[in-house]
Structures are given as structure tokens and as C-alpha cells.
Amino acid sequence: MKTNFHINIDGGSVYKRAQRFLFLTAILILALPSLNAQDFNYGFGLYKGCDFFGLRDAIPNIKYSSGWQKEYLESLSRNAFCDFKGSNTLVGKLLKDNPEGLADSLKAELYKAKSNNHVNLFEYKDALECDLLVSKSYSAFLDEEEKDDLIDDINLWTAVTDAKPQTMLKNGDVTIQMERDIANLWNIPVSINELEFKFIFDTGANFSVIVESVAQKLGLKLIDTKLKVGTITGKKVDSKVAVCPVLKTGGVKVNNVVFLVLPDEALSFGFYKIYGIIGNPIIRSFGEITVNKDNLLTIPALPSKRPVQNLAFHGFTPVIQAFRGADTLRFTFDSGAMSTILYRPYFEKYRKEIEGILEQVDINLGGAGGIETVKGYYIPEIVLGVNGKNGTIKKVSLLSELSKNKDKYFHGNLGQDYFKNYESMTFNFIDMFVQFK
């Protein structure tokens, strides 16, 4: 968190200035214990609270009582910033060495990170082995939502355990003209088995999705599972799985794409129907993407370089470091969401500006899985900065109740209304930055 100090010293006596000096010295002395408190537990707490940017900055300065502790935090940080191979190297070393003090609760986090690393490296069999081990030996360290998710993960990795790794080929710099549909969402042209479709381009989708009727039309082999897919409302929808041998878009060819196959009715909203969604496993494989106000998607042959690292991932969800004034905030980002939503941590942080001043209202959340109503407020205007650029959003929904468990870790989710402030946005998944221009 950034804090600004502003001290005015007037022309008083030497005695008064000495008093002020002693007073400030006392404050600094009292502050020292809090600085010294930045030990391993402090860093682990940052990770558990999904403050990945705070963890990254704290790792070099933490006072470690054992040699393995820095490697432990570094392994988790590398996972959050998408260095999956580097994270797994450290995780493997820690689990092999099994140093004194590495409690089972800490091992559980290592195996969870290891599983996520394997999934992002498209090593589904290895991910399955990790999740089965967590289920057998470390489930006591999971909350109920994590236990439910673990069951679904095991079912998913079981279904695709023999699938080949996803690969991507692109011919130099690629530009793809997307368009907005009647819901104002980005649609990207895709070709599968010589048939053309328009799929939603969604950075908030953990996996790519296709509806069952289209999967059958394409001749994809459907794998029955007991998999249930989470939705924006927290409700779960039954899903099958399919592996698409080749998907093409523009000058890009993606092989061995895992699709979640949902019932058509799960993605039908009256006359508005979604046939498929391109999610993060494909989008992140592009290395870097830029989308401008004309809905032109650019995928450079060589990703650019930036000194700022303001993008991380919580599982499969992108997390952006944002600023409100001097305050550092954490937002997920979902290009499939038209509107920005603020979560309860934002309410807790700025409660004095909201409670008793703004009127509490019912807010409806909709998506696959139906409609959920939660209590909240409408914030008239909020200014958020990302990488030195400020953007204004008006009439922003604030949920004063928790809708989903993960909402307690973030201040909100940025939607396309924030992007409208800029001419273009760039996501780089190599050096891990997002830039709005």
C-alpha cells in the first residue's frame, strides 16, 4: 500500500523542534515491531489472501527462520505469475527435501500449486495425480467450497488424462477482426472441421466452452463425466467434456483444445444464444493480445517488454493490480462482463463513504445458472488507475454481501465499461502486465 507523508515544520524554538524529533523517533521505534513482523507467516498470509503483488514485493525483505521458507513462497509466487515450470521445479525440490517445519498444511498448498502448474502446462495426468493425493491426504486443509471444486477437478482431469497437450502455431503478427453481438460482447471467428462459428472471446472463462448441439454437429467425441461447472451466480451446471483436434482463428491454429460441453439451455437467454466461448487456456497461449476500440485483436509474433508486472492469476482467473488514489487494490478482469462489479472487500475498505450515505438496494447477478439477487449499493462514480492510466466508471454495482467464496479476496471485477476509457488494452502473459492506452 502506498502512503503519503506530509510534515509541516514552522519556525518554533529549538526545544519544540527537539520535542517533535523525539516524538517522531518514538513513532519509528514503535513501528519497528510491525516491520520485524514480516516473517514467513506474513508472506504466507499474503498468498492466502490472494495479494500476489504484495507477496512478490515482500519476498526479498522477509526475515526467514529456515532456508526453505523463501523457496516455498517463491514457488507460490511463480505459480501466480505464470512461471509454471519454475514453480514446479521449486515445489519438486521442497517435497523431495521435506525439510523440518514443512507442515502438512503447507504441503497441501504446494500440491495445489503443483496441480495448477501441470494443468497450465497441459499435463493433465500429473494434475490428476496431485489432486487425488490432496483428496486422500490433505482434504482436512480444504474448506467446503474447495472440497467441492476438487471433486469436479478430479472428474475433469480423469476425462482428459490421455489428451495430448494443447499447442499453438501462429504465422507472424496476426490480426483478427472481432465484432460485438447484441449483448455487446466480443465475438471471434473460429473454424473447426471446416465449419465457421462466432464464439465469445472471454478472458474471464477458466476454460473454453461449447454447447452440446454444436459439439455434436462438429462430430466431437463427448466424454460423460460427473463434472459440474461453476457460474457467476455460484450455481453449478452439469457438463460433459470434448477435445477438439484443431481450432483455427485468423492466422492461428490451436491443437488439442479441451472444451467443457454445456447443455444448450445453459447458454440460452431468450432469443440470445451463445454457441461457444474461447477461454483462458487459448487466450493465454497467444502470449500477448491487444484489442482496440474497433474490436481488432492483434497477436504479435514476438511479445513486447515492459518493466511493470501488474498481472497475476488466481487459479485460472486474471488479477490486475489497480489503484484508487494512493490505495492499492486487486481486481479480477472479465471481458465477458459488460459492467464492473465491486465486492465486499471494497465495501469494508470504504465503508465510511458508503454505509448510511448511499441507499442499499437489491442487485441482480445473471449468467449461466440463472439469476441471483444480493444486497448492495450503486456507487455513482469511481476512478481507478492501472499502470499509470486512470479510468472513470459511473454507477458501479457494489455487493455488500459475498456472492462467491473467492469474492472475499478481491475488491471487484473489471468489466468492459472500464475498457471504454481507452483506445486499446494489452495483456502480456509472458512478462505479466496489462496496459491500457
Side-chain angles (χ1 to χ4, degrees), residues 15-29:
Y15 174 73
K16 287 183 178 179
R17 277 179 282 188
Q19 280 186 315
R20 290 191 185 95
F21 175 77
L22 291 172
F23 175 70
L24 291 173
T25 301
I27 291 176
L28 289 173
I29 292 173

Side-chain angles (χ1 to χ4, degrees), residues 233-278:
T233 64
K235 296 180 181 178
K236 292 195 172 185
V237 178
D238 290 332
S239 172
K240 298 176 182 178
V241 180
V243 179
C244 175
V246 180
L247 178 148
K248 298 177 182 178
T249 178
V252 178
K253 182 171 75 171
V254 188
N255 300 313
N256 310 316
V257 177
V258 172
F259 275 107
L260 303 181
V261 183
L262 299 187
D264 286 49
E265 57 269 22
L267 292 176
S268 296
F269 310 91
F271 61 87
Y272 178 65
K273 300 182 187 300
I274 295 174
Y275 298 104
I277 299 171
I278 298 301

Side-chain angles (χ1 to χ4, degrees), residues 286-305:
F286 295 157
E288 177 177 306
I289 61 170
T290 296
V291 184
N292 67 16
K293 276 196 169 182
D294 295 324
N295 308 314
L296 184 67
L297 170 65
T298 300
I299 306 169
L302 296 175
S304 56
K305 297 284 186 180

Side-chain angles (χ1 to χ4, degrees), residues 2-68:
K2 293 184 178 179
T3 307
N4 293 322
F5 290 94
H6 186 70
I7 302 173
N8 290 317
I9 302 179
D10 56 14
S13 66
V14 173
Y15 174 73
K16 287 183 178 179
R17 277 179 282 188
Q19 280 186 315
R20 290 191 185 95
F21 175 77
L22 291 172
F23 175 70
L24 291 173
T25 301
I27 291 176
L28 289 173
I29 292 173
L30 289 172
L32 286 177
S34 64
L35 295 175
N36 291 334
Q38 291 191 6
D39 58 5
F40 172 78
N41 290 331
Y42 169 79
F44 186 64
L46 291 174
Y47 176 77
K48 292 294 287 182
C50 296
D51 187 357
F52 307 125
F53 308 104
L55 172 62
R56 173 201 61 199
D57 296 340
I59 285 174
N61 304 311
I62 286 175
K63 296 183 182 298
Y64 300 100
S65 59
S66 298
W68 59 267

Side-chain angles (χ1 to χ4, degrees), residues 9-310:
I9 302 179
D10 56 14
S13 66
V14 173
Y15 174 73
K16 287 183 178 179
R17 277 179 282 188
Q19 280 186 315
R20 290 191 185 95
F21 175 77
L22 291 172
F23 175 70
L24 291 173
T25 301
I27 291 176
L28 289 173
I29 292 173
L30 289 172
L32 286 177
S34 64
L35 295 175
N36 291 334
Q38 291 191 6
D39 58 5
F40 172 78
N41 290 331
Y42 169 79
F44 186 64
L46 291 174
Y47 176 77
K48 292 294 287 182
C50 296
D51 187 357
F52 307 125
F53 308 104
L55 172 62
R56 173 201 61 199
D57 296 340
I59 285 174
N61 304 311
I62 286 175
K63 296 183 182 298
Y64 300 100
S65 59
S66 298
W68 59 267
Q69 292 179 338
K70 185 174 183 180
E71 287 184 338
Y72 182 94
L73 295 181
E74 186 67 40
S75 72
L76 300 180
S77 180
R78 290 190 182 190
N79 167 259
F81 288 99
C82 296
D83 178 10
F84 305 119
K85 290 184 178 180
S87 175
N88 261 354
T89 297
L90 290 174
V91 170
K93 181 178 184 300
L94 287 163
L95 292 174
K96 180 181 178 181
D97 294 346
N98 194 25
E100 183 179 354
L102 186 61
D104 282 351
S105 59
L106 298 178
K107 289 179 183 177
E109 293 298 328
L110 288 180
Y111 279 112
K112 286 160 59 179
K114 188 173 188 293
S115 173
N116 181 264
N117 291 332
H118 285 307
V119 173
N120 283 289
L121 294 170
F122 310 109
E123 299 165 348
Y124 307 117
K125 184 177 181 179
D126 294 325
L128 175 61
E129 291 177 358
C130 283
D131 285 350
L132 288 172
L133 181 60
V134 171
S135 177
K136 178 181 178 181
S137 303
Y138 300 99
S139 62
F141 305 107
L142 307 180
D143 61 32
E144 291 306 312
E145 186 171 317
E146 287 177 318
K147 289 177 182 177
D148 289 342
D149 289 343
L150 182 62
I151 292 172
D152 290 326
D153 289 345
I154 288 172
N155 289 331
L156 177 54
W157 313 142
T158 299
V160 298
T161 187
D162 294 325
K164 296 178 181 179
Q166 178 185 294
T167 59
M168 186 275 300
L169 295 172
K170 56 186 174 184
N171 297 321
D173 294 334
V174 175
T175 58
I176 302 170
Q177 185 61 59
M178 298 195 295
E179 60 183 42
R180 292 186 182 273
D181 60 20
I182 57 175
N184 212 26
L185 298 177
W186 281 320
N187 278 231
I188 185 170
V190 301
S191 173
I192 302 174
N193 291 347
E194 306 302 323
L195 295 177
E196 307 290 331
F197 296 91
K198 298 283 182 66
F199 284 1
I200 303 294
F201 185 84
D202 187 359
T203 63
N206 291 351
F207 285 90
S208 297
V209 176
I210 195 169
V211 295
E212 191 163 350
S213 64
V214 173
Q216 291 173 339
K217 184 177 181 179
L218 291 169
L220 299 182
K221 181 182 177 181
L222 303 186
I223 306 171
D224 281 314
T225 68
K226 297 179 180 179
L227 177 65
K228 292 185 178 294
V229 178
T231 66
I232 189 172
T233 64
K235 296 180 181 178
K236 292 195 172 185
V237 178
D238 290 332
S239 172
K240 298 176 182 178
V241 180
V243 179
C244 175
V246 180
L247 178 148
K248 298 177 182 178
T249 178
V252 178
K253 182 171 75 171
V254 188
N255 300 313
N256 310 316
V257 177
V258 172
F259 275 107
L260 303 181
V261 183
L262 299 187
D264 286 49
E265 57 269 22
L267 292 176
S268 296
F269 310 91
F271 61 87
Y272 178 65
K273 300 182 187 300
I274 295 174
Y275 298 104
I277 299 171
I278 298 301
N280 261 311
I282 293 179
I283 296 173
R284 197 158 55 191
S285 73
F286 295 157
E288 177 177 306
I289 61 170
T290 296
V291 184
N292 67 16
K293 276 196 169 182
D294 295 324
N295 308 314
L296 184 67
L297 170 65
T298 300
I299 306 169
L302 296 175
S304 56
K305 297 284 186 180
R306 293 289 187 279
V308 176
Q309 191 182 53
N310 60 353

